[in-house]
Amino acid sequence: MKLEQITAELKTQQAGAAWITTPLNIFYFTGYLSDPHERLLALLIKENGEQVLFCPQLEVDEVKASPFEGEVIGFLDTENALDKYTFTVNKLLVEAEHLTVKRQRELVEAFNVQTFGDIDQTIKDLRNVKSENEIATIKKACELADKCIEIGVDFLKEGVTERQVVNHIENAIKDYGVNEMSFDTMVLFGDHAASPHGTPGDRQLQRDEYVLFDLGVIYNNYCSDMTRTVKFGEPNDKAQEIYNVVLKAEQEAIAAIKPGVTIKDVDDIARNIISDAGYGDYFPHRLGHGLGLEEHEYQDVSSSNTNQFVAGMVITVEPGIYVPDVAGVRIEDDILVTEDGNESLTGYEK
């Protein structure tokens, strides 16, 4: 079905082929994942459905052992990969958000390309709706993220530093088969969490403040991304008021998610709750984003997105309030849009 969508777009745009070079998109279509570094890794999909994968010669055996069933063109470091395949195409669809000007010039010369078009949105639309296998994999990644939060909370004690908690989480989760986090784990204490993208450091945990955890893991190439803000003792009344507003904003936004609902309307629900409580200026980011092979992917859950939710989407919902010298609170869950509503894939208590 993925391949049919690409060939259908080729027909629509009257193009002879698509040229895909983002490693995760190549994995999405072929089942083969590689970081080519400075070398070329590219998937050519022709209008008749034929596929050709260009890869370094040292990876050819791995490609052949992967699910990919098309033609493989291997090349040595001393060779020009495009010289090894004879092909002419009048119009070529490319990932405009990824292709370099240098590579575009090389394609013109090698394949006699006369004009270019974009394949980006077609791929985004495909990746936006997850298959049953993808959903099952993301669910497992979310379960492991829940475990990370549990590990971190159990490690909290007065005097421990943010960096020590981060290191403990990332080391302990390896015992559960996790080899890579989705992004740099964030653990911030008290007023330090008032920086939405703060960097964990030597700040020591004190009694009666909140601790913000923002983390995710990669499981079988799919990501999770969750945030919890937890009590250590009894934070002051102002900090707890902020927490309660964020919790209400998240819960009511999630409750509204179902197929057919406009994405911006859900952002508005959370934003209005926070604004009505007097904290609108302290919520400086969108409500969430798509989640899958990347921790941030299509779609954007914001006040500018007029698209609608569809079944099979996985998105984050993560309202936050960040008041300098007081507290920073963010609560984030990974949400699957179902046929008749939604399901939270992350479950650690709030």
Side-chain angles (χ1 to χ4, degrees):
M1 185 180 68
K2 298 174 187 176
L3 193 60
E4 290 173 356
Q5 291 284 345
I6 296 298
T7 55
E9 184 63 20
L10 291 173
K11 184 177 181 180
T12 297
Q13 295 198 41
Q14 297 182 318
W19 179 259
I20 298 170
T21 50
T22 303
L24 284 175
N25 282 339
I26 291 174
F27 169 76
Y28 184 74
F29 288 104
T30 68
Y32 177 69
L33 181 62
S34 170
D35 179 358
H37 302 291
E38 76 282 2
R39 300 179 176 96
L40 174 70
L41 181 69
L43 176 65
L44 181 71
I45 301 178
K46 300 181 183 180
E47 56 187 335
N48 62 2
E50 291 181 7
Q51 299 177 76
V52 182
L53 185 65
F54 296 78
C55 72
Q57 185 64 42
L58 53 84
E59 297 183 21
V60 168
D61 288 343
E62 290 188 4
V63 174
K64 291 181 177 179
S66 76
F68 180 65
E69 297 179 346
E71 184 176 357
V72 181
I73 304 296
F75 59 92
L76 301 172
D77 289 344
T78 54
E79 296 177 313
N80 183 338
L82 300 181
D83 288 343
K84 303 199 68 175
Y85 189 74
T86 302
F87 181 63
T88 299
V89 61
N90 181 56
K91 183 176 182 180
L92 183 67
L93 302 188
V94 299
E95 293 168 290
E97 297 175 6
H98 188 254
L99 187 71
T100 65
V101 174
K102 179 177 182 291
R103 186 69 71 193
Q104 182 182 29
R105 290 169 179 165
E106 292 171 349
L107 289 168
V108 169
E109 181 177 349
F111 297 157
N112 196 31
V113 182
Q114 301 300 305
T115 171
F116 289 90
D118 297 354
I119 195 67
D120 303 73
Q121 191 59 49
T122 299
I123 296 175
K124 287 178 181 179
D125 289 339
L126 281 169
R127 284 179 52 179
N128 182 49
V129 178
K130 273 61 179 179
S131 68
E132 290 184 7
N133 286 338
E134 288 179 298
I135 291 169
T137 304
I138 295 171
K139 282 184 176 180
K140 181 62 178 179
C142 290
E143 291 173 7
L144 290 165
D146 282 334
K147 189 65 181 180
C148 286
I149 301 289
E150 178 185 325
I151 290 168
V153 170
D154 288 346
F155 190 67
L156 295 180
K157 57 188 175 183
E158 284 189 75
V160 72
T161 68
E162 295 166 335
R163 174 48 57 185
Q164 286 173 331
V165 179
V166 169
N167 291 342
H168 178 72
I169 292 170
E170 293 186 347
N171 287 330
I173 199 62
K174 291 177 181 178
D175 291 340
Y176 296 86
V178 174
N179 297 316
E180 187 176 0
M181 307 302 287
S182 302
F183 50 90
D184 291 341
T185 299
M186 186 186 301
V187 177
L188 304 173
F189 299 157
D191 57 354
H192 192 201
S195 175
H197 277 179
T199 301
D202 295 327
R203 166 73 152 79
Q204 292 184 326
L205 181 60
Q206 304 167 26
R207 177 65 56 179
D208 299 331
E209 60 184 4
Y210 277 112
V211 178
L212 187 152
F213 296 87
D214 189 350
L215 53 78
V217 309
I218 297 177
Y219 176 76
N220 284 356
N221 301 306
Y222 283 82
C223 298
S224 53
D225 177 6
M226 69 179 295
T227 307
R228 287 293 184 271
T229 305
V230 303
K231 286 182 178 182
F232 185 72
E234 285 297 319
N236 63 52
D237 290 346
K238 189 67 172 178
Q240 294 197 47
E241 173 189 301
I242 291 170
Y243 182 93
N244 290 333
V245 172
V246 173
L247 180 61
K248 179 181 179 183
E250 198 223 16
Q251 290 176 330
E252 295 199 13
I254 291 173
I257 295 173
K258 62 181 180 180
V261 170
T262 301
I263 292 174
K264 73 175 295 296
D265 291 346
V266 173
D267 182 285
D268 289 343
I269 289 171
R271 203 163 300 279
N272 289 340
I273 289 171
I274 291 173
S275 294
D276 291 346
Y279 295 103
D281 291 340
Y282 301 102
F283 180 19
H285 55 77
R286 62 190 175 182
L287 182 63
H289 52 79
L291 184 72
L293 288 171
E294 297 169 278
E295 75 274 14
H296 283 198
E297 63 180 42
Y298 185 76
Q299 293 194 39
D300 180 50
V301 184
S302 74
S303 59
S304 64
N305 191 342
T306 57
N307 294 334
Q308 294 182 343
F309 289 104
V310 296
M313 288 175 57
V314 178
I315 54 103
T316 69
V317 175
E318 49 182 304
I321 297 174
Y322 316 91
V323 182
D325 301 321
V326 179
V329 174
R330 182 167 62 254
I331 305 172
E332 174 185 17
D333 284 290
D334 300 340
I335 305 298
L336 167 67
V337 183
T338 62
E339 293 291 341
D340 56 0
N342 70 77
E343 175 186 352
S344 181
L345 306 182
T346 40
Y348 192 87
E349 63 182 344
K350 292 176 280 193

